[in-house]
Amino acid sequence: DTWTAGVVINSPLTSGALSGLRLAIDYYNIKVSNAIGAQSIDVVHQQCFSTEYNPTLSISSQFCAGVARVTGDGAIGNVKGTFLNNGRFQTSGIDVQLDWNMDVGPGTVSLNSVSNYLIELKSSELPGNPLLEYAGTFGPQGNGLNRGAYRFRMLNTLGYALGGASLSLGWRYLPSIKSVSYAQNPATTSVGAKSYHLFNLNATYELTTNVRLRAGIDNIFDKDPLVV
């Protein structure tokens, strides 16, 4: 179930520095039940050995099909997971895009800023498990969701175009983030990560209507990725 609402505001001015301004704001609220996701080992064990999903603790339960036993002593061997409609999650947030341009000298300066504020991202891998809040952590886990639920993220591009040539500088920002275990235990001592800035430089030149040259440098300050 998805609800969205948005507004686009164009500058009412016809001249001046703010005449080329455009702002788009969108709110989203998404809830998914019976989410498809790969079983983690913990989920396989819980469904096989919990009376909530296997009331009689039968070894022939469909949930125990992925739990192998060691011949001779019955110890748990290799565990195989599959994809099931087990989970549920809900998320909401705000997307903001700002576009601006203005003639400066013989060319045009432009700015594009895209950002997201994550209000919540709650997820549970099993119907009987509580929803955990992963916003601001390295999570979530399961349900086919991407990890890295940054509370805020932003991508800015500042450019200058002159005739058939253009030059742009991109700035990607990710704020500090907590460990994934924080969602289950706020007192965890597991370390998250500090904020991260990445800058890219790109240039294009249009030789003819059908031929355009492009060049760029990713990570111009040679910043190493964070190791946590």
Side-chain angles (χ1 to χ4, degrees), residues 16-128:
L18 299 181
S19 61
L21 190 64
R22 179 179 182 272
L23 178 66
I25 304 174
D26 292 281
Y27 166 80
Y28 60 87
N29 186 300
I30 303 169
K31 293 183 179 180
V32 176
S33 58
N34 299 319
I36 301 174
Q39 293 174 295
S40 65
I41 292 179
D42 289 341
V43 165
V44 173
H45 285 169
Q46 187 174 347
Q47 289 186 290
C48 178
F49 302 117
S50 169
T51 54
E52 182 177 1
Y53 303 98
N54 186 5
T56 62
L57 296 180
S58 169
I59 60 172
S60 60
S61 167
Q62 61 172 327
F63 296 121
C64 294
V67 181
R69 296 287 186 171
V70 177
T71 302
D73 61 12
I76 296 177
N78 294 331
V79 175
K80 297 180 181 180
T82 185
F83 287 83
L84 294 176
N85 295 79
N86 275 334
R88 69 190 194 279
F89 64 87
Q90 61 189 54
T91 183
S92 63
I94 299 174
D95 292 326
V96 178
Q97 179 169 331
L98 175 69
D99 292 293
W100 171 79
N101 65 80
M102 184 179 72
D103 292 336
V104 176
T108 302
V109 173
S110 63
L111 173 66
N112 170 259
S113 178
V114 180
S115 58
N116 168 263
Y117 179 75
L118 184 62
I119 298 173
E120 67 169 356
L121 177 51
K122 296 180 179 180
S123 178
S124 173
E125 289 188 83
L126 289 174

Side-chain angles (χ1 to χ4, degrees), residues 73-206:
D73 61 12
I76 296 177
N78 294 331
V79 175
K80 297 180 181 180
T82 185
F83 287 83
L84 294 176
N85 295 79
N86 275 334
R88 69 190 194 279
F89 64 87
Q90 61 189 54
T91 183
S92 63
I94 299 174
D95 292 326
V96 178
Q97 179 169 331
L98 175 69
D99 292 293
W100 171 79
N101 65 80
M102 184 179 72
D103 292 336
V104 176
T108 302
V109 173
S110 63
L111 173 66
N112 170 259
S113 178
V114 180
S115 58
N116 168 263
Y117 179 75
L118 184 62
I119 298 173
E120 67 169 356
L121 177 51
K122 296 180 179 180
S123 178
S124 173
E125 289 188 83
L126 289 174
N129 291 354
L131 286 166
L132 297 179
E133 176 64 82
Y134 286 98
T137 75
F138 272 127
Q141 295 174 308
N143 291 329
L145 296 170
N146 292 327
R147 290 177 179 252
Y150 289 89
R151 181 69 75 174
F152 176 77
R153 63 178 72 204
M154 180 171 58
L155 176 63
N156 299 310
T157 304
L158 178 65
Y160 187 77
L162 175 61
S166 65
L167 182 68
S168 64
L169 175 67
W171 168 36
R172 182 186 182 193
Y173 170 71
L174 296 174
S176 59
I177 195 168
K178 296 181 176 68
S179 147
V180 65
S181 59
Y182 179 87
Q184 195 159 13
N185 176 23
T188 181
T189 57
S190 297
V191 178
K194 296 179 180 180
S195 59
Y196 188 72
H197 302 265
L198 189 66
F199 293 88
N200 303 318
L201 188 65
N202 292 281
T204 63
Y205 183 72
E206 191 172 307

